[in-house]
Each structure stands twice: as C-alpha cells, then as structure tokens.
Amino acid sequence: MKARRTRGRRLRHALIALLVLALTLAGAAVVAYRLTGIPEPHPETAMQSTVFVDARGDYLGRRGPVDRQEVALARVPRHVQEAVIAAENRSFRTDTGISPTAILRAAWSTASGGGRQGGSTITQQYVKNALLSPQQSLSRKAREALISIKLDRTRSKNEILEGYLNTVYFGRGAAGIQAAARNYFGVDASALSVSQGAALAAVINIPSYYEKAGSDAAVTAKLTRRWEWVLDAMADSGAITPAQRAAARLPAFRFYPAGATDGQRQYLIDAASAEAADRLGITQDELAGGGYTIRTTFDLAAQDAAAEPVADKAGAKGISLHTAIVALVPGDGAVRVLYGGADYARQPFNDALAGAVEAGTAMEPFTRAGLGAPLAALAKRAAPTPLSLSAAYATAAAGGTYAEPYTVQRITRDGRTLYTARPHTRTAMDPSSAQLVTKLLYSAGGRWGVFTGGAGTRTLWQTMYDAKLSTTVALFAQHPAHGGHPARIAQLPSTASAVAANVVAGVMNRLDPVAPRPVQGPKLTSGG
C-alpha cells in the first residue's frame, strides 16, 4: 500500500515536472517569438545586375556583381508560380510557414552528425537564403523557424513568394526567376511558357547539377523525369488543364556554358554601358549593380551577319587583320552594328569606336563639299575613327543632316522608364553638297552606290548607303607585337576587298533588304 502511494507521488511529481517543463518551453518559445525580429535581406540578395538587350529585346548580356534582377510577382505567369509551388512546397498557400516534421528531421540529422536534410517550406527557404547566413546549426534552425512563422503572419503569401522567386538560385549563375528565364531560355520571366516554367521549377532542387541541361544527355534525362513529375503535380492540383499537360514538351535550353559569340558582344556592352551611365549621371559601377534594363540600338542578327565573313579571314601567316564595322540610321544616329574586333578577350580595345585608321582616298567624296561642324574638323584628320567616318557618310545619306551616333534607346528599372533617346541633329552639309557626295558614290559603285577607298595597301574602307541605312567597313593589318617589338603596320591580304564587300552586303541585306546588293570591291593597288 505504501509502495503504491510512493509510486503515485513520484508519477504526480514527474507529470508536474513535465508540465512545468512544457510550460517553461512554451513560455520561452513565446518570449523568443516576440523578441525575434524579421531581419533585412543581407546585402548579397539586395544586389542586382543590369541587363542589356538589342533593339528588338533579344538578350545581349549583363553587367553586375550577381546575375539577378527583381521582378514583381504580377509579371511572373501564374503557371510559373504554381510550378514552383508544386516542386518545392505544395502546401505553401495554406501552411503556417514551417513544416514541423521537416524541422525535426533536420534537427535530428544535424544533432546526429548526418547529412543536410531538405523538406523546408518556401517560406523557410526564403528566410534561409535571403535573411540568414547559410550556417547549419540547431540555434540557426530554430531562429529560421521563428522568423518563418512571424513572416507568414505579417506578410502575405504573395509577398513571400515574390521574395523567394527573386532570390532562389537556379544555377548558371542566375539568382531569381528573371535571370533564370534569360539564362536558360533567352526570354523575360513574363514570357515563360508552361513547359519552361516547370523546367525552371525542377532545376531548383539541384541547380548546380541541372544547369547543364541541354548540353549533357544524362543531366537532361534526369531533369526530364523531374519536369514530368512537376507537370503531373500541377495537373493533379488543377494548376494546368489535362490538355495543357498532354501538350507539354521539354523546352529547348540555351547552350551552357555560353558560346564564343558572347565575347564579341562585350564590345557592344562596353559602348552601351558607358553611354547609359552618362545619360543617368552615375558611374558604370553604379549602373552595373542597379538592376537596370538597357535597350540598345543594336541588331544582333545584323551584328552576326557582319561578323561571319570576317571570322575566317585572319589574313596571311603572321598578320593580324583588323576589321571595324559601323552601321547607322541616317538622320537619326542609331547604331545598328558596331563591330570592334573579333575577340574581346584578346583585344578589349574597340577598333570601331577608338581605332584611328588611315583614311587615304576614303575622304575624297567630301573634298568638294561645304562642311559644317563636326564634319569640318573630321575632313582635316588623316586617320579618323570608323564611327566618325560612318557618321559623315550617314550625313550625306540624310541630305546634309548630321545625327550624333547613339547606342542606348531606352533605360528602365522596376517597370519605370528613366530615359528615352531622342536624336540630336544639326545641319552639317548643305543639301547640294550631300547630293554631290551621293552622286560620286553611285558613279564610283555603279547603280549600287558603293564607294571604296583607302591608303594604298595599308588600309581599305568601303561604304554603302541609302536613305535608310549607312554601312562602313574599315580594314587594316598589323604584324603583332613580338619579342619586345611593338606592333607595326602590314600590307593587307588580297582577300581584304572580298571581306569588305561581303560585310557590307550582309549588313545591308539584313537591315535594309530592299537595298540592292553591292558589287565586288576593286582589287587593292599599290598607289597611295
């Protein structure tokens, strides 16, 4: 009897102790919850890159410390949002911001020395990625849970999802859905299809592995299985219709890593970056990290058309053939093509913008023309830049109206337009002089309107224009620097004339298809 009373007392004491412990823990949790604040996003997740696109909106490249651009949730298609929810946290719309089972599993794994455990909610992932350090510990996991609960109670689900989509890593260097859409598919996030959205949602699971999709068969096969799993979940939840599920096809991925053409495009980005920073009155570093979208005046298809005939014409052995190409819109100044070199990595100097190329007879059409500023000063220069000489010919094409060349069409950020280009024009040539130059061009090139000039066999210039477009190409050759000796002028190879003619034809036919094809340029002579 006494033993039973003793056991009863002990059981009551144990229950009281457990109750006190539970109340203490609950009280501590309440205090901890009230004392826990929602931290600001750490600096790395606040950084954005600036994206450059061509005149039609095709992706050109980016500048910035991280490849990330914020995008409002309203600009992310609903099917993309639902794909991410299906892949990462199917109870997101209804949960409290945490998954208790996932927390216990992760805590046990950490305490027992096991591997990292997944299963966190979208809210927890956002807190971990954007608000806390990546350190793995029980205390950090507990803080993550408290912040997630508080975040879920103080922010809407849409705010949390927007923050998550703008910070989650997708591989290929892309942080956030906007950068991922461009890096994987070359489109804006707002243009992602059902299949593309499901593919990006599938990538989140192992981004460093899946980033090779499209260029690695094994990776592509594994991602395909996960992509189908995401689509099935979307169909089961009603996020997409059975017809949409049946019509889904694995999308084509941009090749990764990027091809060699990206190196050539750095010339374009350099020029547009300098101009955009000047227009906004900020430094280029501030521009790079500011999350701007720069719509340039360039036409990437025409740029590639200009580069193609140059690519395989490196010149004779031991000679480096330099080619500069500029295509301008007469009377406006928009630069459609700016080819400054074959490989930015080997030669960051832009021959089209800053190269001084001996003009020789290329200036002859202007010798009898009445020139005003800035062409009057140009006529006195023995070695103009290809951009400045192209602008002179574009002035004649516009009947004497000089338009200052520009490369930036529009600058936006967060959906707001900060700058829109307006042509800066002035009269630099009287109409009769402009007509005289045009007559000379057409008589020199037959009815095709091509003029070829140069300085003996050292340089070659070729220009073709009409009222819509003016294209100029300049070529010169060098013996590269070697053994402490600087680079020196070399004679142009016999293929230079053909290269120039093909370049001008390619650009004009791409940008102004109604213009007639130019005739073959004349052979080089030894005359000066």
Side-chain angles (χ1 to χ4, degrees):
M1 188 72 172
K2 184 176 180 180
R4 281 200 300 270
R5 285 198 302 270
T6 300
R7 284 196 299 273
R9 281 197 303 271
R10 288 177 178 172
L11 181 59
R12 285 195 298 274
H13 290 162
L15 290 174
I16 291 171
L18 288 173
L19 180 61
V20 169
L21 178 61
L23 291 173
T24 301
L25 291 173
V30 170
V31 171
Y33 175 81
R34 290 183 175 177
L35 293 177
T36 297
I38 299 175
E40 292 294 320
H42 44 74
E44 290 80 0
T45 60
M47 291 179 180
Q48 298 188 65
S49 63
T50 284
V51 167
F52 297 80
V53 298
D54 81 346
R56 294 192 306 273
D58 291 337
Y59 182 68
L60 176 60
R62 72 170 186 90
R63 285 281 167 84
V66 295
D67 192 359
R68 190 182 80 87
Q69 277 196 312
E70 289 191 357
V71 59
L73 189 66
R75 287 182 55 204
V76 180
R78 181 74 179 198
H79 56 255
V80 177
Q81 300 176 36
E82 293 302 328
V84 172
I85 290 171
E88 293 297 305
N89 179 195
R90 296 179 186 181
S91 64
F92 170 72
R93 300 285 185 191
T94 57
D95 64 34
T96 60
I98 64 169
S99 170
T101 56
I103 291 175
L104 290 174
R105 186 170 61 249
W108 172 255
S109 178
T110 301
S112 62
R116 178 181 173 182
Q117 293 290 316
S120 298
T121 65
I122 281 176
T123 307
Q124 286 176 272
Q125 290 183 57
Y126 173 60
V127 169
K128 176 177 61 180
N129 294 335
L131 310 183
L132 295 176
S133 70
Q135 171 193 358
Q136 294 293 316
S137 66
L138 287 173
S139 60
R140 196 210 59 84
K141 198 69 181 177
R143 188 164 179 244
E144 174 192 302
L146 290 171
I147 295 173
S148 297
I149 295 170
K150 179 164 282 191
L151 197 68
D152 189 77
R153 292 185 177 181
T154 57
R155 307 269 177 92
S156 70
K157 289 290 188 181
N158 280 349
E159 286 179 288
I160 295 170
L161 185 59
E162 179 178 298
Y164 175 77
L165 287 174
N166 278 318
T167 53
V168 65
Y169 184 62
F170 285 88
R172 298 195 176 193
I177 189 70
Q178 178 75 336
R182 291 202 182 277
N183 287 7
Y184 281 88
F185 303 114
V187 300
D188 189 88
S190 62
L192 287 167
S193 66
V194 170
S195 291
Q196 291 170 333
L200 290 182
V203 163
I204 296 172
N205 180 244
I206 321 174
S208 60
Y209 176 78
Y210 287 134
E211 67 183 3
K212 302 179 186 67
S215 56
D216 184 303
V219 172
T220 305
K222 185 171 182 178
L223 181 64
T224 300
R225 291 191 290 272
R226 184 165 175 83
W227 170 77
E228 290 174 340
W229 173 77
V230 172
L231 286 171
D232 288 342
M234 294 174 70
D236 289 344
S237 68
I240 58 175
T241 65
Q244 286 177 304
R245 174 64 187 96
R249 297 293 181 270
L250 188 72
F253 298 92
R254 293 182 71 204
F255 188 81
Y256 184 79
T261 55
D262 287 1
Q264 206 283 320
R265 292 178 183 181
Q266 291 304 315
Y267 293 109
L268 308 183
I269 294 173
D270 270 1
S273 177
E275 185 176 320
D278 181 66
R279 296 290 183 263
L280 295 176
I282 59 178
T283 67
Q284 289 197 53
D285 285 343
E286 290 171 325
L287 179 82
Y292 301 93
T293 296
I294 313 296
R295 184 178 285 266
T296 69
T297 60
F298 306 123
D299 185 300
L300 284 179
Q303 185 80 20
D304 292 341
E308 188 174 347
V310 178
D312 299 326
K313 306 294 184 182
K317 186 176 181 181
I319 291 179
S320 175
L321 179 63
H322 289 255
T323 307
I325 309 162
V326 180
L328 296 172
V329 177
D332 179 282
V335 181
R336 296 296 184 222
V337 173
L338 187 70
Y339 183 95
D343 188 351
Y344 185 89
R346 289 185 294 180
Q347 180 202 297
F349 182 82
N350 191 320
D351 283 326
L353 282 180
V357 184
E358 193 175 2
T361 58
M363 291 296 297
E364 277 186 0
F366 301 100
T367 55
R368 289 182 287 169
L371 304 178
L375 299 188
L378 173 67
K380 299 174 183 178
R381 296 186 61 184
T385 66
L387 179 67
S388 62
L389 189 58
S390 182
Y393 278 107
T395 301
T401 299
Y402 173 84
E404 181 181 332
Y406 66 95
T407 64
V408 174
Q409 183 175 318
R410 188 168 65 249
I411 303 174
T412 59
R413 182 170 65 174
D414 298 330
R416 294 184 301 112
T417 298
L418 305 179
Y419 169 80
T420 301
R422 291 178 178 81
H424 294 281
T425 61
R426 71 183 84 168
T427 300
M429 188 185 301
D430 62 77
S432 60
S433 292
Q435 190 176 23
L436 185 66
V437 173
T438 300
K439 273 186 177 181
L440 183 58
L441 239 73
Y442 276 73
S443 64
R447 69 186 188 92
W448 307 109
V450 182
F451 185 81
T452 302
T457 57
R458 299 184 299 277
T459 68
L460 183 143
W461 295 79
Q462 189 168 97
T463 293
M464 175 181 179
Y465 70 67
D466 60 14
K468 296 180 181 179
L469 191 69
S470 175
T471 301
T472 295
V473 57
L475 294 96
F476 67 96
Q478 283 184 325
H479 294 288
H482 179 69
H485 297 288
R488 55 192 174 87
I489 294 294
Q491 300 300 304
L492 283 166
S494 59
T495 56
S497 293
V499 170
N502 288 334
V503 165
V504 173
V507 173
M508 294 298 287
N509 286 333
R510 173 63 184 84
L511 290 176
D512 191 10
V514 297
R517 292 181 65 86
V519 296
Q520 176 73 22
K523 293 294 183 183
L524 292 170
T525 66
S526 58

